[in-house]
Amino acid sequence: MGRIHNFGAGPAALPLPVLQRAQAELLDFAGTGMSIMEMSHRSKTFEGVIQGAEANLRKILGISNDYTVLFLQGGASLQFAMLPLNLLGAGQTADIVHTGAWAEKAVKEAKTIGNVNVAWDGKAEKYMRMPEQSELKLTPGAAYLHVTSNETIGGVQFKNFPTSEAPVIVDMSSDIMCRQLDFSKFAGVYAGAQKNIGPSGLALVILRKDLAERVGEKVPAILKYKTHMPEPSLYHTPNTWGIYIVKLVTEWVESVGGLSKLQAINEEKAKTLYDTLDSSAFWKPCAHKSSRSIMNVTWRLPSEDLENKFAKEATAAGLDGLKGHRSVGGIRASIYNAVSLESVKALVGFMKEFEKKNG
Ligand code: PMP
């Protein structure tokens, strides 16, 4: 079939059964004689799709009715702005944990709207580790605490989430649905869909309903969470295709055994790769051991020339998307839910050969 091993950071690999099902249903969705992309977002048929996607997410992640579940546009980046616009009142402070490139964007956007306290900054350690709770400098009475669950570029991930008296909001773009978590600890979670839940052009927002009421009247309607809540995600035309794929992906998650099974597979994938990286000084894994991401694995080789050679030869061998982010270089393997253990084993096999020839 010519499908490669896809280690791209996002948009990223989707489960093959999802793509096959979407292909089979493309021209005639559920006997309607049209594609899901061609029908009204207010049709009964689409209502079943969006309600199904929401119900599956609630079940898989364990989200109670105290939270709204929204499918919005503007990616996770819009949430960097929408969140403070809604939750950061005049005179209040947002605590933000600065763990890398994505947290930095959250900090920058929030600063355009209100007061920000950087509760911890990983700069001194080149953002290669997540902080312990005791290292955080939290603001009494903060509007909220923002954390980035997994830094996609650096490859660091929280194992234990920070806590605060303020509501905890998590950017979970690159590791949502990769492991079992107690969602009741969070007041809000958001994620761009294009890694673990679907295609790009869609952001999932899960927010405690009471928090959405905080927003000031001056905020434009489209940017208020509460505008999108009464008829969830149907204030305007949503990304219907994306929501449909999210429904298929969540069905796939259930079919493979839910989050406990996926977590076990993800941990095995990550261990397979980190064990290889730890096996020889030729490989130089970037993240501190305590914070190694099970979704984005980052490492260096002895020289940039070798890194370029590695990425190029890997692509030629059918292992794609391994070049590190353009801002940092190096190598990055994104091993999201849809990337199989077989793909990781193929990568490890390639690495061993590469080391033999170049080490
Ligand atoms: N947060 C994280 C952790 C991300 O990885 C990304 C995208 N890679 C974003 C935010 C921004 O997402 P988007 O491109 O959907 O705006």
Side-chain angles (χ1 to χ4, degrees):
M1 207 185 342
R3 290 198 38 98
I4 52 137
H5 298 289
N6 185 354
F7 298 98
L14 281 165
L16 186 58
V18 167
L19 296 176
Q20 287 169 328
R21 170 109 180 257
Q23 183 182 45
E25 293 179 337
L26 186 67
L27 300 184
D28 178 7
F29 182 74
T32 56
M34 55 182 150
S35 156
I36 190 84
M37 281 183 278
E38 300 171 295
M39 76 179 63
S40 168
H41 57 298
R42 304 201 181 275
S43 62
K44 270 266 161 260
T45 308
F46 185 72
E47 195 178 273
V49 171
I50 191 168
Q51 288 177 356
E54 176 180 339
N56 293 348
L57 284 166
R58 282 189 187 274
K59 184 168 169 229
I60 291 168
L61 297 170
I63 303 160
S64 79
N65 275 330
D66 294 340
Y67 296 76
T68 186
V69 173
L70 302 173
F71 302 104
L72 304 180
Q73 299 176 49
S77 297
L78 180 60
Q79 295 311 310
F80 296 151
M82 201 163 161
L83 200 65
L85 276 173
N86 280 261
L87 302 191
L88 184 53
Q92 287 187 304
T93 297
D95 283 339
I96 305 187
V97 186
H98 188 339
T99 47
W102 294 109
E104 182 171 347
K105 295 211 166 168
V107 168
K108 273 196 182 147
E109 286 292 72
K111 277 186 174 167
T112 68
I113 290 151
N115 299 329
V116 171
N117 165 51
V118 174
W120 181 81
D121 192 330
K123 190 171 182 192
E125 289 164 78
K126 300 200 167 77
Y127 301 105
M128 282 302 121
R129 138 180 116 77
M130 293 302 204
E132 300 292 331
Q133 180 72 28
S134 58
E135 296 175 280
L136 304 182
K137 295 205 169 56
L138 301 176
T139 310
Y144 58 88
L145 168 66
H146 181 282
V147 302
T148 309
S149 172
N150 182 70
E151 284 285 355
T152 321
I153 295 174
V156 289
Q157 184 178 34
F158 275 108
K159 306 299 165 189
N160 300 304
F161 279 86
T163 57
S164 170
E165 279 170 18
V168 177
I169 311 277
V170 186
D171 174 0
M172 224 177 259
S173 293
S174 48
D175 69 345
I176 191 162
M177 264 178 10
C178 85
R179 55 181 165 174
Q180 284 185 299
L181 292 173
D182 175 4
F183 261 69
S184 68
K185 287 188 190 156
F186 310 128
V189 164
Y190 63 90
Q194 64 272 22
K195 291 125 182 6
N196 263 347
I197 40 182
S200 61
L202 182 73
L204 172 66
V205 175
I206 301 162
L207 185 67
R208 234 172 55 206
K209 288 173 184 165
D210 60 296
L211 290 177
E213 293 304 321
R214 278 196 198 168
V215 67
E217 279 315 306
K218 281 248 147 105
V219 174
I222 186 90
L223 296 176
K224 285 179 180 155
Y225 292 116
K226 67 179 190 182
T227 304
H228 299 276
M229 284 164 53
E231 269 187 297
S233 316
L234 294 176
Y235 164 69
H236 68 143
T237 320
N239 178 347
T240 53
W241 169 257
I243 293 165
Y244 159 68
I245 298 292
V246 171
K247 178 166 179 281
L248 297 188
V249 170
T250 51
E251 285 169 3
W252 172 80
V253 170
E254 297 265 57
S255 77
V256 299
L259 285 198
S260 59
K261 189 72 206 280
L262 271 181
Q263 177 169 349
I265 298 169
N266 286 333
E267 282 170 355
E268 192 178 348
K269 281 152 49 185
K271 185 176 184 309
T272 304
L273 200 40
Y274 285 117
D275 279 354
T276 304
L277 293 173
D278 289 336
S279 71
S280 149
F282 183 68
W283 313 107
K284 301 169 198 328
C286 299
H288 191 281
K289 274 194 178 162
S290 65
S291 309
R292 286 176 163 181
S293 169
I294 62 166
M295 291 281 101
N296 307 98
V297 180
T298 52
W299 69 93
R300 310 290 317 211
L301 271 71
S303 71
E304 265 183 50
D305 282 350
L306 274 175
E307 288 167 354
N308 289 333
K309 188 169 186 236
F310 179 88
K312 204 171 149 205
E313 290 183 8
T315 302
L319 304 148
D320 205 19
L322 288 162
K323 230 176 162 19
H325 190 267
R326 61 186 189 281
S327 61
V328 291
I331 303 293
R332 168 176 58 174
S334 297
I335 48 173
Y336 299 123
N337 285 350
V339 178
S340 66
L341 180 59
E342 286 64 44
S343 285
V344 174
K345 285 184 176 160
L347 171 58
V348 162
F350 173 81
M351 288 166 72
K352 293 201 167 133
E353 281 304 307
F354 189 87
E355 188 191 349
K356 252 191 235 157
K357 285 185 209 141
N358 300 279

